[in-house]
Amino acid sequence: MRNFKKMSFAFAVSTALILSACGKDSKTSGTENQKPLRVVTDAAYAPFEYLDKGKIVGFDVDFTNAVAKEAGLKIDIVNVGWDPLFAEVGDKLADIGMSSITINDDRKIKYDFTVPYFLSTNKILVPEGSDIQSAEDLKGKVVAVQNGTTGQEAVESLLGKNSKDVKKFENNNLAILELKSGGADAVVADNAVVETYAKNNPNEKLVVIEDKDSFAAEFYGLMLPKGSKYKEKLDKAVKEVVENGTYEEIYKEHFGTEPDLETLKAEQNK
């Protein structure tokens, strides 16, 4: 009887441990096997998102990973290109569009956005010695832009929507190549893009022109399908990443300067 009792007790304990372990594994695997959100981007926009030895890297990548971690979400970032990312998010084939996307009224008709996470403005990239010193000086010049961007809109407002002097390219890398080859007199794009390019390529003798009177401040947001169930959670996470110092750390790493947190927070709380 004693041995039987011992065996019965041991069996009961073993069974309990097995059931307990199964319960833990089931819960863990449920989290681990959670389908990651599909995040689509155009990885040709250094220093925000670009390819380095086949890997998508950049400010937006580090920031979005920090936001996903804060929100308790898994993400999978995929390079699909500029126009396709809008199509995927619009058709709800992707959960998030992450590609330095300016929040504006036209886009808000079709998409939802998180609260803003980046303050930007368009600037002009020209060769050293250029007579272009302001946006007004772009009139009568050939200007290269990335198609479908606010840079294109800004230039077309100056030169005309169907102006032959506005050269549109799939990405800013191609626009800058057009400038370097002599096919354009200037490039208009987001400040961080042209500033980083000029800084990293000093031998090319390119300079950046600022014109606050002609180019208004813009704010980037993570773009979501209309009615996204993740908006509230992502809004909270974006604000927390900005508030807890993570944003500032990432910003300094990629741009070497301090972010204007006061202006960004004010826009977030509108």
Side-chain angles (χ1 to χ4, degrees):
M1 286 289 291
R2 188 173 181 181
N3 287 340
F4 177 74
K5 282 182 179 177
K6 280 184 178 179
M7 288 176 65
S8 298
F9 176 75
F11 177 78
V13 171
S14 298
T15 303
L17 288 172
I18 290 168
L19 289 173
S20 173
C22 287
K24 279 186 179 178
D25 285 345
S26 176
K27 185 177 179 182
T28 304
S29 65
T31 302
E32 288 178 353
N33 294 330
Q34 181 186 18
K35 186 179 178 182
L37 302 187
R38 180 175 172 85
V39 180
V40 287
T41 190
D42 175 23
Y45 208 67
F48 292 97
E49 43 271 321
Y50 60 100
L51 294 173
D52 182 11
K53 297 177 183 175
K55 184 180 179 182
I56 305 172
V57 298
F59 170 83
D60 277 353
V61 177
D62 291 346
F63 167 75
T64 305
N65 277 321
V67 169
K69 183 179 179 181
E70 180 66 34
L73 298 169
K74 287 186 173 184
I75 61 172
D76 181 23
I77 302 174
V78 184
N79 181 31
V80 299
W82 181 250
D83 291 331
L85 79 84
F86 282 88
E88 282 209 25
V89 176
D91 292 338
K92 299 187 177 181
L93 300 175
D95 302 289
I96 300 173
M98 175 211 77
S99 206
S100 310
I101 304 170
T102 298
I103 303 168
N104 61 33
D105 290 340
D106 287 341
R107 288 173 180 163
K108 284 194 287 187
I109 294 171
K110 188 171 183 180
Y111 309 95
D112 282 341
F113 285 88
T114 62
V115 292
Y117 70 86
F118 195 88
L119 168 63
S120 176
T121 184
N122 282 300
K123 291 188 179 180
I124 308 165
L125 184 68
V126 295
E128 198 174 84
S130 170
D131 59 356
I132 297 172
Q133 297 299 314
S134 68
E136 189 67 22
D137 295 333
L138 293 174
K139 292 179 179 177
K141 306 289 187 181
V142 177
V143 185
V145 297
Q146 179 177 352
N147 190 42
T149 62
T150 57
Q152 176 191 340
E153 291 175 8
V155 173
E156 287 182 339
S157 70
L158 287 165
L159 307 185
K161 193 166 182 65
N162 298 311
S163 173
K164 60 180 177 55
D165 291 331
V166 181
K167 287 190 172 183
K168 291 166 272 193
F169 294 88
E170 185 180 350
N171 57 59
N172 277 317
N173 294 335
L174 295 175
I176 293 172
L177 281 173
E178 187 71 6
L179 172 66
K180 288 164 55 180
S181 68
D185 300 298
V187 169
V188 172
D190 292 341
N191 59 298
V193 173
V194 293
E195 286 168 349
T196 300
Y197 188 88
K199 179 182 176 182
N200 291 343
N201 299 278
N203 57 311
E204 295 181 8
K205 299 186 184 303
L206 297 173
V207 296
V208 179
I209 307 296
E210 182 179 25
D211 188 341
K212 289 183 178 179
D213 293 332
S214 299
F215 300 136
E218 302 174 0
F219 293 90
Y220 299 161
L222 296 176
M223 190 171 72
L224 313 171
K226 206 68 175 168
S228 171
K229 65 181 180 180
Y230 299 108
K231 177 171 165 51
E232 186 177 348
K233 183 177 283 191
L234 289 170
D235 280 346
K236 185 177 178 182
V238 170
K239 286 186 174 182
E240 182 57 30
V241 167
V242 171
E243 194 64 44
N244 66 20
T246 303
Y247 180 87
E248 188 172 3
E249 184 180 325
I250 296 170
Y251 193 102
K252 286 180 182 176
E253 179 185 344
H254 287 278
F255 303 112
T257 58
E258 299 271 352
D260 182 351
L261 293 179
E262 185 177 343
T263 301
L264 182 59
K265 287 180 182 179
E267 188 69 17
Q268 287 180 341
N269 294 319
K270 278 186 176 179

